[in-house]
């Protein structure tokens, strides 16, 4: 795309094709030239509501790009760009101070994970092009990828690409079992290992190498071999100075390979120069297009356009971009922390309905599910957001903030109903509720945590929640996100949806009516992207989801729908790291893990509450660490570790503080 002119209509078509190609276009093993594949995909989706919605979003994005280019043209008018470039050069040299080349960070990612597990259990699949899933593919063998078949792709499109494609059903318990095995291996190399998804993890192996007198490359080699020995599955790895580089590197020699990006400043900058911006965790289809519009296709281009980025910091996030150009990011590997949670929600997907009573029934179910989860996991909040998706795939949100803590199903339902009131008539295929401005009721150190709560109540928590919560003061909930990453819901930019590949509704209806089993849903949120929401099997019960819906929401009004996004389709096969129960997707897993965790916390709290001295309280807290619940933080990370870790290179001071003792400058 030209950096100087608004996009032409023909480019709009190209961008639509690109958009329709789905989120997994950067997967390893795909053919280099995707043009023909994209054409087949577009033809196959044509005429569906999904296609129309993608077309509309593409058009919206094109208009947004036009606005951005106008802003850029205004911003550069009469400005001495050379001066700004010099300022940027100075800033870049300052950022260099952040570069830490002392740590050896590894990102490991199993090769075609579900597919290779299937192959293990059915050797007849060897050498065949096959996909795993039902309705939507969870993944595809490398043989199938050559034809463009990949994760998140509806089966009917995959078959258009390769009619002889073999489709294998998913076996989640097997993936869970093997995921557990590999994570145990990885944890040996770094007890603080960050399990980023069912098949990938980050480790800092610096200490391990020192303790065992190992060269890092050798260490990674041995680790990968151990995975093969214990599971007969292969894993690829990236070894680099920080998490972003390690993640990018792990794809370099996929499958069954490893790549060490040298711990050398010049080598890193050279590597980044040619690297497509799309490879950067957090840059999906939307950001890719936005960046391309100002001439940034590679990380090297960031330097060329540094002056424009400076002038358009708000739109593009200058520091993030400059760090990316330099290959600087966080090297802190640690499990996800509970306090990082921003929201808790529930939503349900169903065949499109328009009867008000039926829609309200769905809403009530969602409110019930969410309230139950809030109680079991110990969260209350002050802002309720209603989300609904029309049968045209457009998604809207409406929100209302309160000056009290929301705790009950009744409050959730009533607010949802109020927010829906001005919107009738509606024909919906999804409804959801989300609570933000959270307060962690399990936080023990402020005297208001769940333990204290139980102590003071001594009875059923549900009866007293509201009263307790009302005593709380406002906390500081500043959001440190750069406001740039498209996985984060952004009401101002409705098309910045997480990368997803929605299924043609006609197709989902077909599958639902011909199959008893739930649809295998689509793309797993990438390890780098925080999962937001997740579509569920048709008519599935509401599920509690955890994500990062935008907090900055005011009460519902008659203003036109501002917030349009799409729901993600969900993967299959995420094991609970506590009880190993498999879940169909991350959101379900998140909800369950919380429940699992809170079981422990509640047990501990109740046990502690029966002891009446302050010292006993202290003991209880310590004791929790040793219990299964005590290991909870590390375990909890296994599903939420995919939080926006890359931002730690910039704004996540908390993480950096915590990791400081591991760095040797
Ligand atoms: P990935 O690691 O992204 O993919 P992969 O392991 O199949 O292939 P490779 O890493 O070699 O490129 O995802 C791990 C598993 O997660 C995958 O096997 C199936 C599941 N998954 C989904 O269910 N939906 C998705 O959209 C993606 C990307 C993965
Ligand atoms: Mg993988």
């Amino acid at each position: 795309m030209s950096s100087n002119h608004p996009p032409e209509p023909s480019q709009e078509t190209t961008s639509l094709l690109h958009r329709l190609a789905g989120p997994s276009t950067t997967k390893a093993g795909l053919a280099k030239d995707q043009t023909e594949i994209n054409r087949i995909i577009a033809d196959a989706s044509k005429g569906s509501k999904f296609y129309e919605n993608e077309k509309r979003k593409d058009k919206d994005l094109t208009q947004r790009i036009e606005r951005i280019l106008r802003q850029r043209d205004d911003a550069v008018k009469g400005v001495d760009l050379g001066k700004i470039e010099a300022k940027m050069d100075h800033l870049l040299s300052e950022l260099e101070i952040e570069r830490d080349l002392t740590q050896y960070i590894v990102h490991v990612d199993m090769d075609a994970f579900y597919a290779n597990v299937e192959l293990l259990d059915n050797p007849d699949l060897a050498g065949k092009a096959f996909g795993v899933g039902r309705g939507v593919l969870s993944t595809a063998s490398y043989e199938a990828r050559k034809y463009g078949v990949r994760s998140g792709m509806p089966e009917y499109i995959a078959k258009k690409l390769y009619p002889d494609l073999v489709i294998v059903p998913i076996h989640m318990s097997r993936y869970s079992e093997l995921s557990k095995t590999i994570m145990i291996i990885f944890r040996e190399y770094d007890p603080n290992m960050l399990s980023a998804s069912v098949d990938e993890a980050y480790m800092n192996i610096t200490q391990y190498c020192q303790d065992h007198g190992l060269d890092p490359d050798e260490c990674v080699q041995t680790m990968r071999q151990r995975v093969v020995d214990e599971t007969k599955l292969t894993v690829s790895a990236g070894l680099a100075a920080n998490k972003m580089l390690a993640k990018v590197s792990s794809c370099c020699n996929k499958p069954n390979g490893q790549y060490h990006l040298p711990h050398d400043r010049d080598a890193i900058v050279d590597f980044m120069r040619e690297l497509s911006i799309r490879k950067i965790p957090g840059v999906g289809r939307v950001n890719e297009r936005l960046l391309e519009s100002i001439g940034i296709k590679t990380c090297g281009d960031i330097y060329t356009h540094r002056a424009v980025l400076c002038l358009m910091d708000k739109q593009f996030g200058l520091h993030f971009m400059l760090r990316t150009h330099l290959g600087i990011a966080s090297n802190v590997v640690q499990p996800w922390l509970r306090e990082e949670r921003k929201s808790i929600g529930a939503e349900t997907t169903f065949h499109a309905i328009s009867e008000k009573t039926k829609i309200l029934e769905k809403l009530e179910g969602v409110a019930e599910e969410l309230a139950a989860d809030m109680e079991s996991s110990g969260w209350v909040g002050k802002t309720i957001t209603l989300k609904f998706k029309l049968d045209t795939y457009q998604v809207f949100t409406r929100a209302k903030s309160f000056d009290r803590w929301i705790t009950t199903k009744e409050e959730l339902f009533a607010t949802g109903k109020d927010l829906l009131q001005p919107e009738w008539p509606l024909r919906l295929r999804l409804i959801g509720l989300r609570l933000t401005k959270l307060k962690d009721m399990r936080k023990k150190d402020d005297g208001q945590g769940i333990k204290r709560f139980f102590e003071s109540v001594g009875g059923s928590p549900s009866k007293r929640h509201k009263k307790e919560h009302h005593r709380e003061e406002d906390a500081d909930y500043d959001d440190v996100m750069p406001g740039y990453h498209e996985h984060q819901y952004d009401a101002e930019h409705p098309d910045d949806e997480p990368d997803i590949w929605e299924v043609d509704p006609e197709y989902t209806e077909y599958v639902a009516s011909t199959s008893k089993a739930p649809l295998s849903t689509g793309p797993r949120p990438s390890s780098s992207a925080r999962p937001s929401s997740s579509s569920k099997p048709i008519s599935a019960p509401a599920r509690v989801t955890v994500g990062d819906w935008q907090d900055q929401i005011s009460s519902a009004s008659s203003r036109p729908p501002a917030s349009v996004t799409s729901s993600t389709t969900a993967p299959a096969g995420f094991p609970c790291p506590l009880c190993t129960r498999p879940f169909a997707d991350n959101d379900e897993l998140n909800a369950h893990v919380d429940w699992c965790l809170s079981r422990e916390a509640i047990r501990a709290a109740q046990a502690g509450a029966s002891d009446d001295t302050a010292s006993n309280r202290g003991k209880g807290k310590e004791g929790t660490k040793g219990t299964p619940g005590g290991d909870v933080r590390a375990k909890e990370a296994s599903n939420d570790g995919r939080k926006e870790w890359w931002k730690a290179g910039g704004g996540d001071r908390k993480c950096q503080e915590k990791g400081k003792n591991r760095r040797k400058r």
Side-chain angles (χ1 to χ4, degrees):
M1 186 173 298
S2 157
S3 58
N4 296 315
H5 303 288
E8 299 292 328
S10 63
Q11 290 167 313
E12 213 173 302
T13 308
T14 310
S15 66
L16 178 60
L17 286 179
H18 196 53
R19 179 173 198 104
L20 287 164
S24 299
T25 48
T26 52
K27 272 234 151 287
L30 294 172
K32 274 224 163 73
D33 185 3
Q34 296 274 313
T35 322
E36 183 50 26
I37 288 166
N38 290 353
R39 167 57 53 204
I40 297 171
I41 293 171
D43 286 348
S45 359
K46 223 167 238 166
S48 67
K49 284 180 181 160
F50 168 62
Y51 179 88
E52 291 308 315
N53 193 45
E54 288 298 295
K55 212 165 116 181
R56 183 193 56 74
K57 287 196 286 191
D58 184 62
K59 197 171 147 219
D60 287 351
L61 183 56
T62 302
Q63 286 168 357
R64 186 169 151 204
I65 287 172
E66 286 169 3
R67 277 198 305 278
I68 284 187
L69 293 181
R70 278 198 301 273
Q71 282 170 12
R72 185 215 37 203
D73 293 344
D74 287 348
V76 300
K77 243 179 233 156
V79 170
D80 183 347
L81 290 181
K83 230 180 187 166
I84 299 180
E85 280 173 359
K87 217 171 105 187
M88 290 305 98
D89 290 345
H90 182 68
L91 184 53
L92 282 163
S93 62
E94 275 180 5
L95 288 175
E96 273 296 341
I97 298 164
E98 288 179 16
R99 193 184 295 280
D100 179 2
L101 298 174
T102 63
Q103 302 300 298
Y104 286 83
I105 311 299
V106 183
H107 176 253
V108 280
D109 189 314
M110 302 297 287
D111 303 316
F113 186 48
Y114 292 8
N116 282 345
V117 174
E118 293 303 329
L119 187 58
L120 203 64
D121 296 345
N122 179 5
D124 286 350
L125 292 168
K128 290 194 178 143
F130 70 97
V132 183
R134 178 191 278 271
V136 180
L137 300 182
S138 288
T139 194
S141 65
Y142 273 77
E143 287 83 356
R145 293 183 194 192
K146 283 182 209 148
Y147 301 97
V149 176
R150 52 192 181 250
S151 297
M153 183 174 270
E155 205 180 301
Y156 81 102
I157 291 185
K159 288 258 187 172
K160 289 244 158 73
L161 290 169
Y162 185 64
D164 292 335
L165 188 75
V166 176
I167 306 284
V168 181
I170 52 173
H171 296 100
M172 281 192 290
S173 55
R174 280 293 281 148
Y175 316 141
S176 305
E177 186 189 321
L178 287 154
S179 173
K180 204 175 152 204
T181 308
I182 57 168
M183 295 304 165
I184 290 170
I185 298 174
F186 299 145
R187 197 165 279 117
E188 278 179 33
Y189 290 84
D190 180 0
N192 268 337
M193 178 267 294
L194 168 63
S195 169
S197 82
V198 71
D199 82 329
E200 63 181 315
Y202 293 89
M203 285 155 277
N204 183 335
I205 58 165
T206 319
Q207 191 64 48
Y208 187 93
C209 289
Q210 273 169 18
D211 294 349
H212 295 80
L214 276 175
D215 163 71
D217 294 291
E218 199 185 330
C219 174
V220 174
Q221 190 72 50
T222 317
M223 179 196 303
R224 291 180 44 240
Q225 191 54 47
R226 274 202 57 198
V227 171
V228 174
D229 293 345
E230 290 190 31
T231 65
K232 308 269 180 299
L233 296 170
T234 60
V235 59
S236 297
L239 173 61
N242 62 49
K243 285 182 286 187
M244 185 263 281
L245 296 175
K247 164 100 181 160
V248 174
S249 300
S250 68
C251 294
C252 289
N253 284 323
K254 230 179 196 313
N256 197 15
Q258 66 186 61
Y259 179 72
H260 181 174
L261 176 56
H263 279 53
D264 171 81
R265 192 239 167 229
D266 291 345
I268 293 170
V269 173
D270 282 351
F271 178 85
M272 296 307 288
R273 193 171 296 124
E274 302 305 321
L275 190 71
S276 157
I277 194 79
R278 178 68 188 271
K279 295 269 183 189
I280 301 301
V283 178
R285 284 175 294 175
V286 172
N287 288 331
E288 180 188 30
R289 250 196 97 190
L290 290 175
L291 287 164
E292 278 186 13
S293 77
I294 59 161
I296 298 175
K297 270 178 171 271
T298 66
C299 299
D301 296 332
I302 293 172
Y303 184 75
T304 318
H305 298 281
R306 63 198 183 286
V308 169
L309 287 172
C310 170
L311 293 168
M312 301 189 75
D313 180 16
K314 191 169 161 275
Q315 288 87 343
F316 293 103
L318 174 69
H319 280 72
F320 171 74
M321 295 309 297
L322 293 183
R323 278 195 185 89
T324 299
H325 166 71
L326 293 171
I328 292 176
S330 167
N331 62 2
V332 179
V333 177
Q334 64 174 14
W336 175 79
L337 302 174
R338 183 176 157 90
E339 50 268 34
E340 290 177 70
R341 174 169 293 184
K342 294 275 195 295
S343 70
I344 181 165
E347 65 183 44
T348 183
T349 306
F350 36 82
H351 288 294
I353 49 173
S354 45
E355 295 92 326
K356 194 170 174 180
T357 45
K358 285 196 177 148
I359 291 176
L360 291 179
E361 261 170 40
K362 298 280 182 197
L363 179 67
E364 191 168 11
V366 166
E368 189 167 350
E369 181 98 12
L370 176 55
D373 194 66
M374 283 158 56
E375 181 170 325
S376 66
S377 56
W379 294 102
V380 296
K382 284 189 174 177
T383 298
I384 298 172
T385 303
L386 169 80
K387 171 183 172 186
F388 55 94
K389 185 190 283 190
L390 305 181
D391 65 334
T392 54
Y393 281 86
Q394 285 170 286
V395 179
F396 302 98
T397 59
R398 297 285 182 268
K400 186 165 183 172
S401 292
F402 295 83
D403 56 5
R404 62 173 202 274
W405 297 108
I406 301 301
T407 61
T408 66
K409 170 203 154 184
E410 287 71 28
E411 289 169 300
L412 294 167
F413 180 47
T415 309
K417 225 163 119 183
D418 283 355
L419 293 173
L420 216 44
Q421 192 53 40
E423 313 291 341
W424 302 107
L426 290 165
R427 185 167 165 77
L428 302 187
R429 63 188 313 277
L430 175 151
I431 198 154
L433 286 169
R434 184 162 295 265
L435 194 69
T436 51
K437 305 281 179 197
L438 295 183
K439 171 77 186 165
D440 183 357
M441 294 308 293
R442 282 173 31 197
K443 214 167 163 190
K444 296 187 178 76
D445 54 359
D446 61 359
Q448 300 290 347
I450 198 166
K451 184 164 185 281
R452 174 69 165 263
F453 173 73
F454 280 104
E455 279 172 342
S456 61
V457 176
S460 157
S462 55
K463 290 193 187 124
R464 302 291 291 272
H465 264 169
K466 203 168 167 183
K467 202 171 166 196
E468 285 294 310
H469 300 159
H470 287 191
R471 290 195 205 133
E472 296 298 330
E473 296 298 320
D474 262 324
D476 179 5
Y477 294 105
D478 276 356
D479 191 348
V480 292
M481 279 299 293
Y484 169 74
H485 304 292
E486 63 202 60
H487 58 273
Q488 193 189 29
Y489 179 72
D490 181 348
E492 245 185 81
H493 302 305
D495 277 324
D496 286 7
E497 84 283 24
D499 267 347
I500 51 115
W501 196 333
E502 288 243 23
V503 189
D504 183 333
E506 283 77 40
Y507 184 67
T508 56
E509 308 232 336
Y510 164 76
V511 173
S513 64
T514 54
S515 151
K516 279 192 193 139
L519 277 174
S520 143
T521 43
R524 176 206 58 174
S526 78
S527 65
S528 51
R530 180 91 168 111
S532 64
S533 62
S534 162
S535 75
K536 297 294 177 296
I538 288 175
S539 298
R543 294 286 177 223
V544 175
T545 57
V546 178
D548 290 304
W549 280 21
Q550 191 85 341
D551 283 357
Q552 36 142 288
I553 308 157
S554 57
S555 67
S557 71
S558 56
R559 71 194 147 93
S563 39
V564 183
T565 181
S566 298
S567 72
T568 52
T569 44
F574 291 86
C576 171
L578 290 149
C579 69
T580 73
R581 218 177 114 188
F583 285 85
D585 67 15
N586 254 294
D587 293 337
E588 288 188 18
L589 173 65
N590 287 341
H592 167 82
V593 168
D594 258 350
W595 179 78
C596 243
L597 292 170
S598 60
R599 258 194 331 189
E600 292 301 329
I602 289 168
R603 267 191 219 130
Q606 283 169 332
S610 59
D611 302 333
D612 53 7
T613 62
S615 61
N616 276 341
R617 270 204 300 276
K619 248 194 261 170
K621 196 176 167 188
E622 276 304 305
T624 311
K625 280 187 183 164
T627 64
D631 195 19
V632 143
R633 252 187 32 184
K635 288 169 177 170
E636 194 170 16
S638 64
N639 63 83
D640 268 342
R642 71 193 63 218
K643 232 174 137 47
E644 304 80 4
W645 50 261
W646 58 85
K647 81 182 180 194
D652 199 348
R653 268 174 237 109
K654 229 191 310 174
C655 290
Q656 287 177 335
E657 281 299 312
K658 282 176 182 144
K660 234 174 11 196
N661 55 352
R662 306 192 61 175
R663 297 189 185 187
K664 293 179 193 114
R665 286 179 186 272

